[in-house]
């Protein structure tokens, strides 16, 4: 098999020579086409003026750069009417005129550029054995022509963040061909309206719940049915639901907390203050062992006849301690002194009041002071806390409240799912949530009805559903209802038509990926090129 075939070089090339160094493969060739044609008049010419060598970069081979040295001819154009007298034979379509790289290399660099961007692109081409620069890559991307937008019947429109919370752009998708039509540098109604204006053929506009795209479609595509996207509808509903569940879960936490505080004080059960925790116990044990070792050393040194002063210096304890230990004759176990506090004489009274249901320490303090005892609030608080079931560091602090069985965000998920989609543990959670309050149970029914309406595309039930929510008087859902009322036509279309913005969301994700790769010099025009020509 010939080199020409392996390297997929054009037929009119005749290979003259191959030269290989560590990183460059040089292929010398001659163009052998019969009679080169004048690029202007198209007539073949047989009269050769001269020859010269074109240097071309081609696709790499085995990790080496490939350099093509092609001998081409300059010819005379003998057509009397042609203004071109001398021309160079063309190598198209393999190489464009004046180009220094083959078309296939040009294309590959463009593709790598689209996939990676400038800087990363150079790192990739380096490893592939292609010599280029990031500027060249960016130039190739920017050189891609924008395809004209054809007829669109279903338009999907959504925003994406350049900088979250600050600057946004707009993505436009043909929902039937799944093609990105364009990206716009902002999400203003006017910009989107200006784009839509030239497309009077649009029948359906699928959009989010914001007012801007609705207004744009209203002004520039009044013929189109607006369709509120189901994903955004569900997001809105779940936001309202989250607020609702937070309220009920907070109420649940307070309830559980009150119950736990109602447990009797340990004074009342005849127990002392809580024991040391394991870490404290371990530390005091270690300290005791160290002290015991010192004691044994003191006794041993004394038996050897050392003086007390010498022993104290040797062992590293005070003279008084050595003296005391030797006087006692046994190791004195350190006993923590029985802590007495000013509250101790009143503990029984306090326990009684606690039993009676007064769990407010400030109140207990006031009562003790009123009875003529000199006690500070701090004193009462500190002493009493030691007797509380789990201790109580900060009165009423949220961190001390028992955890809710689930976060509101997770609970929303459980409520929104269909029962048959739930795992066993989520079903238990659902049962618990529904038992929290009749209102939660009612909200669950409503949410499931909405979900079903959305799933079975039965938008005609929307009015009845909205009425049910109004009657339920669930505070947080009223906001959702009001929002739907403002945009009812589009919501009903969203609940009825099969159109979905899901694909737009997918494209937005892809765009985000491209956006994040385009750090550095990349601006909106480059991002637009990369999105429109994404692989
Ligand atoms: Zn000519």
């Amino acid at each position: 098999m010939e080199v020409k075939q392996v390297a997929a070089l054009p037929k009119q090339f005749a290979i003259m020579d191959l030269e290989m160094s560590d990183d460059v493969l040089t292929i010398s060739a001659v163009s052998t086409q019969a009679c080169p044609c004048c690029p202007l008049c198209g007539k073949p010419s047989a009269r050769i003026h001269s020859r010269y060598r074109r240097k071309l970069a081609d696709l790499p081979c085995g990790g080496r750069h490939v350099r093509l040295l092609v001998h081409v001819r300059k010819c005379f154009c003998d057509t009397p009417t042609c203004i071109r007298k001398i021309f160079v034979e063309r190598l198209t379509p393999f190489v464009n005129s004046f180009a220094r790289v083959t078309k296939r290399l040009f294309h590959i660099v463009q593709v790598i550029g689209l996939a990676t961007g400038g800087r990363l692109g150079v790192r990739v081409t380096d490893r592939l054995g292609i010599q280029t620069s990031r500027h060249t890559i960016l130039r190739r991307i920017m050189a891609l022509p924008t395809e004209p937008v054809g007829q669109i019947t279903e338009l999907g429109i959504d925003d994406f963040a350049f900088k979250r919370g600050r600057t946004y752009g707009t993505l436009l998708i043909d929902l039937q061909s799944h093609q990105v039509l364009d990206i716009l540098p902002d999400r203003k109604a006017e910009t989107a309206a200006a784009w839509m204006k030239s497309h009077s053929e649009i029948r359906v506009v699928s959009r989010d719940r914001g007012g801007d795209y609705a207004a744009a479609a209203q002004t520039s595509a009044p013929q189109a049915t607006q369709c509120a996207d189901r994903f955004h509808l569900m997001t809105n509903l779940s936001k309202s639901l989250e607020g609702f569940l937070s309220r009920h879960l907070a109420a649940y936490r307070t309830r559980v907390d009150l119950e736990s505080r109602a447990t009797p004080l340990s004074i009342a059960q005849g127990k002392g203050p809580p024991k040391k925790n394991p870490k404290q116990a371990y530390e005091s044990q270690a300290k005791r062992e160290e002290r015991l070792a010192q004691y044994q050393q003191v006794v041993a040194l004394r038996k050897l006849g050392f003086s007390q002063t010498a022993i104290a210096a040797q062992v590293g304890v005070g003279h008084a301690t050595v003296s005391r230990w030797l006087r006692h004759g046994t190791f004195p176990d350190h006993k923590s002194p029985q802590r007495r506090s000013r509250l101790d004489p009143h503990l029984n009274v306090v326990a009684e009041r606690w039993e009676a249901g007064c769990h407010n320490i400030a109140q207990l303090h006031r009562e003790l002071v009123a009875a003529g005892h000199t006690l500070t609030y701090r004193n009462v608080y500190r002493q009493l806390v030691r007797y509380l079931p789990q201790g109580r560091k900060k009165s009423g602090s949220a961190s001390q409240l028992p955890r809710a069985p689930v976060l509101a965000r997770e609970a929303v998920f459980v409520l929104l799912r269909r029962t048959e989609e739930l795992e066993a543990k989520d079903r238990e959670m659902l049962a618990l949530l529904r038992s929290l309050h009749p209102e939660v149970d009612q909200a669950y029914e409503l949410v499931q009805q909405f979900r079903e309406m959305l799933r079975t595309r039965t938008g005609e039930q929307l009015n009845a559903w909205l009425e049910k929510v109004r009657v339920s008087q669930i505070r947080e859902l009223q906001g959702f209802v009001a929002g739907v009322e403002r945009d009812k036509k589009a919501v009903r279309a969203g609940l009825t038509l099969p159109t979905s913005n899901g694909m737009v969301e997918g494209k937005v994700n892809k765009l985000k990926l491209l956006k994040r790769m385009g750090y550095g010099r990349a601006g909106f025009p480059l991002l637009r090129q990369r999105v429109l020509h994404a692989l």
Side-chain angles (χ1 to χ4, degrees):
M1 197 181 276
E2 273 192 70
V3 176
K4 198 163 78 179
Q5 281 169 298
V6 174
L9 291 171
K11 275 194 193 128
Q12 76 262 30
F13 281 19
I15 306 289
M16 307 300 291
D17 189 26
L18 277 179
E19 206 183 302
M20 203 157 72
S21 74
D22 278 350
D23 47 4
V24 183
L25 171 65
T26 311
I27 303 174
S28 302
V30 173
S31 173
T32 60
Q33 51 188 333
C35 291
C37 293
C38 167
L40 228 60
C41 62
K43 296 272 163 57
S45 164
R47 250 177 7 111
I48 293 165
H49 169 276
S50 58
R51 292 173 193 275
Y52 85 104
R53 203 171 62 166
R54 265 182 94 171
K55 279 189 203 169
L56 300 165
D58 195 17
L59 289 179
C61 175
R64 291 185 178 87
H65 308 306
V66 171
R67 196 189 298 152
L68 288 176
L69 299 176
V70 188
H71 292 264
V72 291
R73 289 158 286 182
K74 275 186 180 177
C75 302
F76 291 103
C77 177
D78 289 330
T79 314
T81 49
C82 185
I83 53 164
R84 181 70 57 87
K85 297 303 167 205
I86 298 163
F87 67 90
V88 178
E89 69 171 310
R90 300 295 198 250
L91 298 176
T92 45
F94 188 63
V95 189
N96 280 342
S97 33
F98 305 109
R100 291 167 64 185
V101 296
T102 58
K103 241 179 174 174
R104 54 191 187 183
L105 179 62
F106 184 97
H107 182 65
I108 284 295
V109 169
Q110 205 165 42
V111 166
I112 291 173
L114 282 174
T116 56
R119 281 172 196 276
L120 183 56
V122 169
R123 279 177 230 149
V124 174
T125 50
D126 256 4
R127 282 166 178 69
L128 289 174
I130 298 172
Q131 273 180 321
T132 187
S133 75
R134 68 194 163 94
H135 301 287
T136 305
I137 294 178
L138 293 180
R139 226 171 32 244
R140 300 269 155 88
I141 301 172
M142 295 311 290
L144 281 161
T146 307
E147 299 277 323
V149 175
Q151 298 275 304
I152 319 150
T153 31
E154 290 187 17
L155 175 72
I157 185 167
D158 204 354
D159 60 6
F160 64 89
F162 289 115
K163 277 190 179 140
R164 189 182 273 271
R166 289 169 65 191
T167 47
Y168 288 85
T170 301
L171 187 65
L172 297 146
I173 307 282
D174 183 340
L175 291 179
Q176 286 184 315
S177 70
H178 303 191
Q179 290 298 310
V180 176
L181 296 167
D182 211 341
I183 70 171
L184 309 176
D186 57 47
R187 60 168 178 188
K188 289 184 191 140
E190 308 89 73
T191 317
W195 193 93
M196 286 184 211
K197 207 157 204 141
S198 52
H199 293 279
S200 56
E201 74 279 10
I202 300 174
R203 292 280 142 254
V204 176
V205 176
S206 178
R207 57 159 173 85
D208 61 2
R209 302 293 317 290
D212 286 334
Y213 298 142
Q218 191 61 44
T219 43
S220 291
Q223 78 286 352
T225 308
Q226 293 190 32
C227 186
D229 176 50
R230 288 186 287 280
F231 168 76
H232 287 98
L233 271 173
M234 277 318 257
T235 312
N236 294 149
L237 179 59
S238 59
K239 285 234 173 80
S240 314
L241 211 54
E242 198 176 320
F244 168 74
L245 285 168
S246 301
R247 174 160 65 89
H248 279 286
L249 287 169
Y252 168 82
R253 284 172 61 162
T254 320
R255 220 156 50 226
V256 172
D257 182 47
L258 283 177
E259 279 161 20
S260 83
R261 279 197 234 175
T263 42
L265 278 182
S266 38
I267 323 163
Q269 297 165 333
K271 289 183 206 156
K275 296 237 159 57
K276 285 176 184 163
N277 69 33
K279 192 180 168 210
Q280 283 171 332
Y282 173 79
E283 279 171 1
S284 68
Q285 178 64 22
K287 212 177 250 176
R288 182 185 179 273
E289 274 164 21
E290 190 191 0
R291 207 73 175 153
L292 182 60
Q294 284 173 330
Y295 171 77
Q296 284 161 351
Q297 214 180 344
V298 167
V299 174
L301 288 170
R302 187 63 177 170
K303 274 187 187 155
L304 292 172
F306 284 92
S307 74
Q308 288 193 4
T309 317
I311 294 171
Q314 176 78 19
V315 181
V317 293
H319 185 274
T321 309
V322 174
S323 160
R324 193 174 66 244
W325 282 351
L326 293 174
R327 206 168 50 241
H328 281 287
T330 54
F331 177 66
D333 243 326
H334 178 77
K335 277 198 194 118
S336 60
Q338 197 67 43
R339 272 195 206 162
R340 303 287 299 167
S341 102
R342 284 168 178 241
L343 185 66
D344 285 357
H346 317 294
L347 273 179
N348 283 334
V349 182
V350 172
E352 258 174 47
R353 289 287 297 128
W354 191 275
E355 286 293 281
C358 179
H359 296 161
N360 185 328
I361 297 180
Q363 174 62 25
L364 291 170
H365 171 242
R366 275 193 295 274
E367 288 175 14
L368 288 167
V369 171
H373 307 297
T374 39
L375 288 161
T376 61
Y377 169 76
R378 195 176 166 75
N379 198 319
V380 176
Y381 177 84
R382 277 190 158 181
Q383 294 304 315
L384 212 50
V385 156
R386 295 168 58 217
Y387 289 99
L388 281 174
Q390 301 114 356
R392 193 168 87 168
K393 291 202 177 72
K394 279 184 205 154
S395 159
S397 95
S399 62
Q400 287 304 105
L401 290 178
R403 250 177 67 80
V406 64
L407 292 173
R409 216 172 33 242
E410 296 161 356
V412 169
F413 168 83
V414 173
L415 249 61
L416 282 177
R417 288 282 133 142
R418 287 159 69 199
T419 327
E420 50 269 38
E421 289 172 358
L422 291 177
E423 287 173 19
K425 87 174 164 30
D426 289 335
R427 279 179 204 216
E428 276 173 34
M429 182 53 62
L430 177 63
L432 182 119
L433 288 169
R434 293 179 69 175
S435 69
L436 284 182
H437 195 276
E439 213 180 48
V440 181
D441 195 39
Q442 197 182 9
Y444 174 72
E445 295 294 338
L446 287 169
V447 166
Q448 285 296 315
Q449 283 163 14
F450 187 82
R451 214 204 113 92
E452 201 54 21
M453 189 157 63
L454 190 140
R455 198 175 67 86
T456 54
R457 308 272 186 281
T458 43
E460 67 276 5
Q461 297 171 6
L462 181 64
N463 272 337
W465 185 82
L466 290 173
E467 193 48 39
K468 271 192 223 167
V469 179
R470 266 191 289 266
V471 171
S472 78
Q473 293 189 331
I474 296 173
R475 211 192 312 152
E476 291 82 354
L477 292 185
Q478 302 310 318
F480 177 71
V481 168
V484 169
E485 283 291 350
R486 277 197 295 276
D487 193 23
K488 200 153 150 191
K489 241 173 111 182
V491 172
R492 193 183 291 125
L495 292 176
T496 318
L497 298 176
T499 312
S500 151
N501 244 17
M503 192 198 316
V504 185
E505 297 294 330
K507 297 281 184 189
V508 166
N509 277 341
K510 196 167 172 181
L511 182 147
K512 280 184 194 159
L513 178 71
L514 289 174
K515 187 191 75 184
R516 282 170 192 155
M517 285 165 77
Y519 54 90
R521 283 157 53 97
F524 176 75
L526 178 63
L527 179 67
R528 180 170 180 269
Q529 283 295 85
R530 288 186 68 189
V531 171
L532 288 181
H533 299 278
L535 304 176

